[in-house]
Amino acid sequence: MTGLAVIRPGPLSLLQDAGRARWQHLGVSPGGPLDIHAAAWANHLLGNPWGTPLVEIALGGVELESRLDTWVALCGAELPIAVDGESRPNWSSFPLRVGQRLTLGFARSGQRAYLAVAGGIRVGAVLGSVATQTREGLGGLHGDGQPLRAGDLLPCAPASLPGMAGVPWRFVPDYRAELGLRVILGGYAGDFSVAERRRFFAQAWTLSPQSDRMGMRLLGEPLRAPTRQWSLGVTTGTIQVPPDGQPIVLMADRQTMGGYPVLGWVHPLDLGLLAQCPAHRTLRFERVEVEAVQGEMREFYRFFGR
């Protein structure tokens, strides 16, 4: 099969889809895109169904050569996009002809871009998903959890679309804006004192450079966490507070169980904004009720056909 040849893979480029469901009882993390908002729009611009395999590109620095006539879409981090040296807009779809080179510079705002191809990247699934999980050695182009490398070929089929499409401006995030992430209190929040819960929301936190696809670590005035002696299941967006009092927000490549006290959960759509933050960025949290989150997520999934 033909496809897109990887000339330069960038610092970390990973195949992702909707994630690896129904294996968490065996300790397998779900994976999937860190920014579901940007990934969903990239596929939607091409008419691809929810969860169609695409590439999550960290920071940029990617160059691909097309071996076929197709269409691609890019959403996410603000970075220079060019086809044979001619600029292309972000948060849009555009054609890519045989022999043309797609070049992505390094991100000026945001951290991750999502590259979708019309019809999707056609790779065999491992445990029901192509999501790349480097820690567990699962998924990806070769099924071994490895990032893309120079010389790889992203298999896809020729495609023709009627014309370019773009995301309406009101749905394009400003990754430079002051960041306030919405949080649903729960889990063992009741075991934290009222003063500690207030302190969590009142102070500004800094994103640690020790953050990755497994978890985003926060730095600030430590919280006093209650003592726990047993583990419990965790989900993406869970806010854990370890003994040092510095919260951790669990992301797509998280573990499936944890013993640290759970303060609550970050809104699923705000996790994408968190994933787009550079290290040392300041952020705050605000409380939101679960009913409001449920309504917004139902609307989001309904629009994207999940």
Side-chain angles (χ1 to χ4, degrees):
M1 174 171 291
T2 188
L4 304 179
V6 179
I7 309 302
R8 289 189 293 124
L12 184 67
S13 296
L14 307 172
L15 287 186
Q16 299 294 347
D17 56 12
R20 194 163 278 107
R22 296 185 293 278
W23 292 98
Q24 294 182 62
H25 65 293
L26 296 179
V28 179
S29 70
L34 291 185
D35 186 345
I36 63 172
H37 174 84
W41 271 112
N43 271 322
H44 183 75
L45 289 174
L46 299 170
N48 294 341
W50 171 273
T52 297
L54 43 57
V55 183
E56 179 182 273
I57 298 167
L59 301 179
V62 169
E63 185 173 0
L64 306 173
E65 183 175 276
S66 185
R67 303 286 170 80
L68 76 171
D69 290 344
T70 188
W71 281 68
V72 299
L74 271 152
C75 295
E78 179 191 339
L79 41 71
I81 303 169
V83 174
D84 285 349
E86 294 187 4
S87 295
R88 295 291 185 271
N90 199 1
W91 294 88
S92 71
S93 63
F94 49 86
L96 197 60
R97 305 304 182 199
V98 62
Q100 289 186 321
R101 288 202 174 189
L102 172 64
T103 305
L104 308 181
F106 285 96
R108 297 177 292 228
S109 174
Q111 298 287 288
R112 293 169 173 87
Y114 292 85
L115 171 67
V117 183
I121 298 168
R122 304 189 175 189
V123 177
V126 177
L127 300 182
S129 171
V130 308
T132 309
Q133 225 295 2
T134 57
R135 186 182 71 253
E136 295 167 357
L138 295 175
L141 187 60
H142 305 290
D144 56 3
Q146 292 300 304
L148 294 183
R149 296 169 291 217
D152 282 341
L153 182 71
L154 300 173
C156 50
S160 178
L161 296 180
M164 295 177 63
V167 177
W169 65 267
R170 65 184 182 278
F171 297 118
V172 177
D174 179 1
Y175 297 133
R176 293 187 175 92
E178 182 177 343
L179 196 58
L181 303 177
R182 294 167 290 178
V183 168
I184 312 155
L185 280 181
Y188 289 85
D191 292 344
F192 289 79
S193 71
V194 172
E196 293 302 301
R197 295 198 301 269
R198 285 176 178 166
R199 229 155 43 82
F200 172 75
F201 289 106
Q203 72 169 294
W205 296 91
T206 300
L207 184 63
S208 167
Q210 303 303 316
S211 300
D212 54 23
R213 281 185 50 87
M214 185 174 179
M216 297 294 185
R217 296 175 177 271
L218 308 178
L219 301 174
E221 186 65 29
L223 300 178
R224 184 173 300 172
T227 302
R228 288 190 48 80
Q229 276 104 29
W230 60 88
S231 294
L232 69 161
V234 292
T235 63
T236 304
T238 296
I239 304 170
Q240 292 184 317
V241 184
D244 66 2
Q246 306 291 352
I248 303 169
V249 181
L250 300 185
M251 304 298 280
D253 286 357
R254 59 176 168 78
Q255 73 276 23
T256 60
M257 297 191 71
Y260 297 145
V262 172
L263 182 60
W265 300 270
V266 174
H267 192 306
L269 295 180
D270 289 0
L271 287 175
L273 298 175
L274 180 58
Q276 298 288 2
C277 284
H280 309 294
R281 176 77 180 273
T282 298
L283 50 94
R284 293 181 177 273
F285 295 94
E286 58 189 57
R287 185 174 179 179
V288 65
E289 297 302 321
V290 65
E291 292 81 8
V293 178
Q294 289 172 334
E296 188 172 353
M297 292 311 298
R298 279 195 293 266
E299 184 178 352
F300 176 82
Y301 289 136
R302 190 181 305 118
F303 178 82
F304 288 109
R306 182 176 178 182

